[in-house]
Amino acid sequence: MNTTSNGTAPKVDAVEDLDVLIVGAGFAGLYQLMQLRDLGFKVRVYDNAAQIGGIWYWNCYPGARVDSTCPLYQFSREDLWKDWEYTELFPAWTEIREYFKYVDKKLDLSKDVQLSTRIESAMFDQDKNQWVIKTDKGDTVRARYFVICTGFASKPYIPEIEGLDSFAGQMAHAGRWPQEGIDFTDKRIAVIGTGSSGVQLAEQASLKAKHLTVFQRTPALALPLRQVKLDKEAQKEMKKDYPEIMKLRGTSFAGFDYEFLAKSWYDCTPEERQATFEKVWQEGAFHPWLGTFRETLVDEEVNEAAYVFWRDKVHARLKNPEVAEKLAPAEKPIFYGTKRMGLEQWYFDMFNQDNVELADMKADPVVRVTPKGIQTKNKFHELDIILLGTGFDAVTGGVPSIDIHGIEGKTLAQYWSQGFRTAYGTASAGFPNLFFVYGPQSPAAVANGPSLAEHQGKWVVACIKYMRDKKLNRINATPEAEAYWLEKVKTVSSPSLLSRTRSWWFGGNIPGRELESLYFVGGMPMFLEECWNSAKKDYEGFRLS
Ligand code: NAP
């Protein structure tokens, strides 16, 4: 790379030219790399992490594992899956890192990846139709296309709790876990937050801690993970179905290999409804969420029934009825399934252990953190470790965290400050030749990650190829396409119960933020159909020149 000796930006003539610069070395960014490189483009990926693998570099806390089954949690290319073997149906971060190493070795991705480097800013050069992109290492790179694949979890959200910084013990956020790990043995541990990260962290802490306190603001509507160990024979058997599974990733609602049920709740007898709930419960994982009655997410009666079934299952596992009532209250804390549901293995059972305590933050709020622990209104919790599973600044922490200047003088962050505006969740007007995959107004929140990374990614790759084939240099989304897409995003979310829950899907987890639909919740097939319809009409909704 070209840098001056004092680390400042190099002279213009020292700038390197790329066809495509990609940010993020997770599934989405690496998919872009492998596809575009094969098409003969000069491509480089940048990532702030020290290893490839995206989120799995940062989320390396004990218990961190994926919520999709392993056939879905890999690239769909047969040359990549035929020899790769995960040993668990829901692999842990350690194994996913090994998977990325395997893919890297097979395709030599690393030669086009620059790690430990943050992209700080990008400015569109109108004369040359190129992005001029600067890194935190002082390098400047020119690229015709700029593709941002930073995911939704690149910026951890740390709540403002008085005195949090004064804590003298160890403290870590699940999304920025120290690479060297944290030893939980015989420690007094607090976990704040009961989303997917908090549940997984608490389960692990319960095995080793002297005392674990789970600080719950909203109960975790977690579903049973149903882990399975996979030997070689099981892998071989599963792989017979891989071609079919890979196809379903682009045609099912959320990019999984199962779908909502075709039958309606209203056509079933009460016995059939219960039997259906029981069946999807036994299947576990997201089946009781995305493989159940479709009406669950739109109809209050069905939603209530699904919640009651879940609640009964949780209560049956707990010895103390008061704790059970706090973990799974009679009145549902949010509509069932209206934010991505966590998966648990022994989360509820662990509250039967003597070393595990539930601190209900609504009944007894946290007042402050002191060097020695957490003071609530009624109690002082003396602690060695505080673990934060408090989520992420899902969308504003990603794409707009880079200082991106388009053609009208505004930064992308300024352009989006009154609400997100995108054409098909992939580009914004005034920011030509810039695409984002797995970003705002795409189905990222509800979808399986690799499925969307590949299917939305395919559209971006095809578009860049189209531009080259037609000898075009600039593609810019139109404000009309943005208005059309915003309407679509709203139309699919407003009749559903999702829009009535304050969650990170609507920016509701960041205090003071106006709620808006950050994601397209109409499902992958509708999303992809819209994107490809535009492509078929020579990229309707974009100006090409
Ligand atoms: P999350 O779902 O946003 O959960 C954050 C938790 O922190 C919530 O329980 C929230 O409570 C709590 N919280 C936030 N601010 C708080 C405050 N000031 N005081 C007390 N509690 C507070 O975040 P996440 O668990 O990291 O998950 C985010 C997404 O990442 C998931 O939906 C999933 O897509 C992905 N993920 C997946 C896995 C997996 O299983 N593979 C694991 C981790 C993450 P409220 O609900 O009351 O706001």
Side-chain angles (χ1 to χ4, degrees):
M1 293 296 294
N2 302 308
T3 41
T4 55
S5 55
N6 64 2
T8 56
K11 288 195 223 98
V12 173
D13 61 1
V15 164
E16 187 187 358
D17 263 12
L18 293 173
D19 294 319
V20 189
L21 187 146
I22 298 159
V23 197
F27 275 104
L30 296 179
Y31 177 79
Q32 291 295 309
L33 171 61
M34 49 177 103
Q35 296 297 107
L36 289 165
R37 206 170 65 174
D38 284 355
L39 289 168
F41 288 101
K42 190 175 174 197
V43 191
R44 186 174 308 121
V45 177
Y46 285 80
D47 200 301
N48 200 16
Q51 287 176 21
I52 64 165
I55 190 69
W56 302 103
Y57 178 76
W58 306 105
N59 274 32
C60 57
Y61 57 86
R65 67 179 63 251
V66 64
D67 57 11
S68 310
T69 54
C70 65
L72 295 165
Y73 213 69
Q74 50 191 308
F75 292 108
S76 60
R77 285 170 53 156
E78 185 173 352
D79 63 331
L80 291 178
W81 61 250
K82 74 173 193 281
D83 297 325
W84 171 254
E85 289 178 353
Y86 277 121
T87 63
E88 292 180 313
L89 190 59
F90 296 91
W93 66 272
T94 39
E95 216 173 4
I96 301 169
R97 278 194 185 182
E98 289 307 311
Y99 170 70
F100 277 104
K101 278 190 204 156
Y102 160 83
V103 174
D104 185 18
K105 200 165 161 210
K106 195 125 180 148
L107 302 181
D108 196 8
L109 298 177
S110 287
K111 76 176 160 69
D112 294 310
V113 180
Q114 167 119 4
L115 295 167
S116 304
T117 305
R118 203 186 126 69
I119 297 298
E120 302 243 284
S121 68
M123 190 163 296
F124 193 70
D125 177 341
Q126 300 220 49
D127 296 331
K128 293 193 170 169
N129 286 316
Q130 280 183 322
W131 283 97
V132 182
I133 298 159
K134 291 184 192 288
T135 76
D136 65 347
K137 301 286 183 289
D139 303 322
T140 303
V141 185
R142 283 180 169 269
R144 170 64 37 89
Y145 298 99
F146 183 27
V147 184
I148 305 181
C149 303
T150 45
F152 64 76
S154 55
K155 187 178 174 196
Y157 166 64
I158 298 183
E160 283 184 19
I161 301 175
E162 190 190 320
L164 194 60
D165 287 343
S166 73
F167 183 60
Q170 263 184 303
M171 185 160 64
H173 188 287
R176 279 292 178 281
W177 200 257
Q179 297 297 314
E180 67 280 11
I182 296 178
D183 184 7
F184 292 166
T185 314
D186 286 335
K187 300 288 186 345
R188 294 160 303 177
I189 302 175
V191 172
I192 304 181
T194 53
S196 309
S197 308
V199 164
Q200 291 180 336
L201 264 175
E203 284 186 338
Q204 294 299 318
S206 76
L207 302 177
K208 292 190 169 170
K210 182 174 181 182
H211 191 82
L212 165 68
T213 312
V214 177
F215 284 82
Q216 168 188 289
R217 189 165 71 179
T218 306
L221 268 66
L223 300 172
L225 175 88
R226 308 238 186 271
Q227 182 65 291
V228 178
K229 298 273 178 211
L230 300 170
D231 58 18
K232 283 198 179 300
E233 211 35 55
Q235 292 267 356
K236 215 169 129 195
E237 225 15 66
M238 275 171 81
K239 283 188 182 172
K240 289 182 187 159
D241 296 330
Y242 271 29
E244 189 52 31
I245 292 174
M246 297 307 177
K247 264 193 231 150
L248 286 168
R249 292 166 72 162
T251 56
S252 64
F253 179 84
F256 287 89
D257 53 346
Y258 50 89
E259 194 48 287
F260 289 112
L261 300 172
K263 66 184 173 188
S264 165
W265 162 268
Y266 290 101
D267 293 337
C268 294
T269 62
E271 294 72 28
E272 285 166 348
R273 291 169 183 170
Q274 283 306 300
T276 302
F277 279 153
E278 187 60 42
K279 181 174 175 291
V280 292
W281 186 261
Q282 291 312 326
E283 287 168 328
F286 286 159
H287 287 265
W289 179 38
L290 300 171
T292 185
F293 295 106
R294 192 178 283 271
E295 294 103 328
T296 312
L297 301 183
V298 288
D299 183 314
E300 287 198 36
E301 178 189 325
V302 188
N303 194 276
E304 176 67 18
Y307 177 76
V308 169
F309 184 89
W310 172 85
R311 178 178 182 269
D312 289 347
K313 289 288 186 192
V314 172
H315 276 245
R317 287 164 64 181
L318 287 148
K319 289 183 189 153
N320 181 332
E322 270 176 46
V323 174
E325 192 51 34
K326 283 186 187 301
L327 287 166
E331 191 179 329
K332 58 182 176 305
I334 60 169
F335 286 112
Y336 175 91
T338 52
K339 62 179 190 176
R340 196 169 176 115
M341 300 185 84
L343 300 182
E344 58 84 34
Q345 299 187 81
W346 57 90
Y347 178 71
F348 296 110
D349 314 276
M350 77 184 193
F351 289 98
N352 295 325
Q353 293 173 202
D354 291 340
N355 68 333
V356 180
E357 175 186 356
L358 182 67
D360 178 353
M361 293 176 74
K362 285 210 168 122
D364 185 19
V366 168
V367 177
R368 74 184 66 83
V369 176
T370 75
K372 292 198 157 177
I374 296 178
Q375 177 68 58
T376 65
K377 195 165 157 240
N378 299 323
K379 184 172 173 180
F380 184 70
H381 299 261
E382 203 162 338
L383 298 165
D384 303 306
I385 301 176
I386 296 179
L387 304 177
L388 301 172
T390 45
F392 299 89
D393 183 352
V395 175
T396 38
V399 182
S401 70
I402 302 171
D403 189 24
I404 300 170
H405 295 254
I407 55 179
E408 277 144 28
K410 279 188 187 155
T411 64
L412 190 56
Q414 285 164 339
Y415 186 63
W416 282 349
S417 61
Q418 301 304 311
F420 284 93
R421 280 178 279 171
T422 78
Y424 307 100
T426 304
S428 273
F431 299 85
N433 299 2
L434 165 63
F435 299 109
F436 23 90
V437 178
Y438 210 74
Q441 299 187 343
S442 80
V446 264
N448 166 261
S451 303
L452 184 61
E454 287 197 350
H455 281 279
Q456 189 183 15
K458 211 173 273 178
W459 188 94
V460 172
V461 170
C463 180
I464 292 175
K465 179 175 180 301
Y466 178 94
M467 296 291 290
R468 182 179 66 181
D469 293 350
K470 300 275 178 193
K471 299 194 174 16
L472 296 164
N473 292 325
R474 187 191 284 201
I475 176 165
N476 192 7
T478 64
E480 294 75 26
E482 290 180 337
Y484 169 77
W485 194 244
L486 182 61
E487 199 46 44
K488 268 270 165 212
V489 167
K490 285 184 184 164
T491 309
V492 292
S493 84
S494 56
S496 88
L497 299 170
L498 306 177
S499 59
R500 290 164 60 188
T501 295
R502 261 196 99 84
S503 75
W504 62 266
W505 291 4
F506 291 82
N509 64 326
I510 306 296
R513 257 190 82 165
E514 291 245 338
L515 294 192
E516 61 174 309
S517 297
L518 297 179
Y519 295 102
F520 177 82
V521 295
M524 293 250 302
M526 196 196 289
F527 173 74
L528 294 172
E529 194 187 339
E530 290 279 346
C531 293
W532 287 109
N533 277 345
S534 150
K536 275 184 218 146
K537 294 179 194 162
D538 292 320
Y539 296 92
E540 188 177 63
F542 296 85
R543 275 192 203 101
L544 278 56
S545 55

